[in-house]
Amino acid sequence: MKATCWILAGFYLLFCCKAEEGLNFPTYDGKDRVIDLNEKNYKQALKKYDMLCLLFHEPVGSDKVSQKQFQMTEMVLEVSVAACPGWVKMFLVTCCPHFVSCLFLSGLVEEGSLYVFKDERLIEFDGELATDVLVEFLLDLLEDPVEIINSKLELQAFDQIDEEIKLIGYFKGEDSEHYKAFEEAAEHFQPYIKFFATFDKGVAKKLGLKMNEVDFYEPFMDEPVHIPDKPYTEEELVEFVTEHKRYVMCRMLKTLQAKSACMFAGEGCRDSCIVSDGFEFLEILKQVARDNTDNPDLSIVWIDPDDFPLLITYWEKTFKIDLFRPQIGIVNVTDVSSAYPE
């Protein structure tokens, strides 16, 4: 019998936390930077810009509600492109089967979806359509798909990344065919999964890596998984990451809006999930995650409700809980039924 998706949910408010300051984005100055992409200008656009953002939409209705919603969406794009001058361009694409075929996207696009063209790759933006989230996503895409680590200080920074999936490989150099396969595999997952590499023997020794070997780290796991059968092809690395990019434990952050808008709905989670918060409880959750890293039916998601002020009322009403004190219980993510102790 197929297991039901469950979440053991706990919430804890951190009243002493100081709100994080966001980037200072420009305001709309009245200059239109977002343009319509059509069969006449798309070839020139592909040559001119490093990245293209394409919002595919159905023709805007004549009613005021539809027009207002579209104007708000367009405004997000206008402010975002103003914050990224020169290296990215925003386009609106009215969904048309013939034109979609011209873009070699037939069967891939959905109305209302935003895609980024970079280096002949199509990357879907799966987050909240907000300026700060979108700009952060674009900045991540502008970076190289693989970050190189060749010093103790850089290795310390790598070790401190424990809330996201990450991979690191040891290679002879940037000209190595095995590094190039690793780099090409990284492009498939940028910016959702972090890829690192080192060419330094000392760094590799500290990581326990052999030449052309790659380690896969799950969030909050102390020990990595050695990907078997080195050296690897691009296809083998993509297949392994795709199969293993699940979460035993992750923290639900504001930044996850750019990573996956459906994280709380169970995307990336296993059949049973724990959702919780609170630093004192965190160490217990980490140990539970480590003890169950091979359990295919368990995931843990750690949430700070302060990061999601607009969802607090929804969570309290849906789960019938008071988020002014710690809460823990079980939530079925399929039908949102829940059970919380008194």
Side-chain angles (χ1 to χ4, degrees), residues 34 53 72 98 155 210 238 241 247 301:
V34 179
C53 285
M72 294 174 64
H98 175 66
L155 182 57
K210 298 178 181 179
V238 170
V241 176
Y247 291 84
V301 181

Side-chain angles (χ1 to χ4, degrees), residues 120-132:
E120 299 182 353
R121 292 187 297 123
L122 179 68
I123 303 141
E124 183 176 6
F125 174 71
D126 189 26
E128 178 189 5
L129 192 57
T131 301
D132 56 343

Side-chain angles (χ1 to χ4, degrees), residues 51 89 142 188 210 212 239 248 270 321:
M51 292 196 299
K89 189 65 177 178
L142 191 64
H188 288 265
K210 298 178 181 179
N212 298 324
E239 182 180 357
V248 177
R270 305 182 186 189
I321 55 177

Side-chain angles (χ1 to χ4, degrees), residues 266-290:
E267 182 176 315
C269 289
R270 305 182 186 189
D271 288 333
S272 298
C273 300
I274 298 173
V275 182
S276 64
D277 187 27
F279 288 112
E280 295 180 2
F281 193 44
L282 176 59
E283 292 305 316
I284 297 175
L285 292 177
K286 286 183 180 180
Q287 190 58 51
V288 171
R290 295 183 187 110

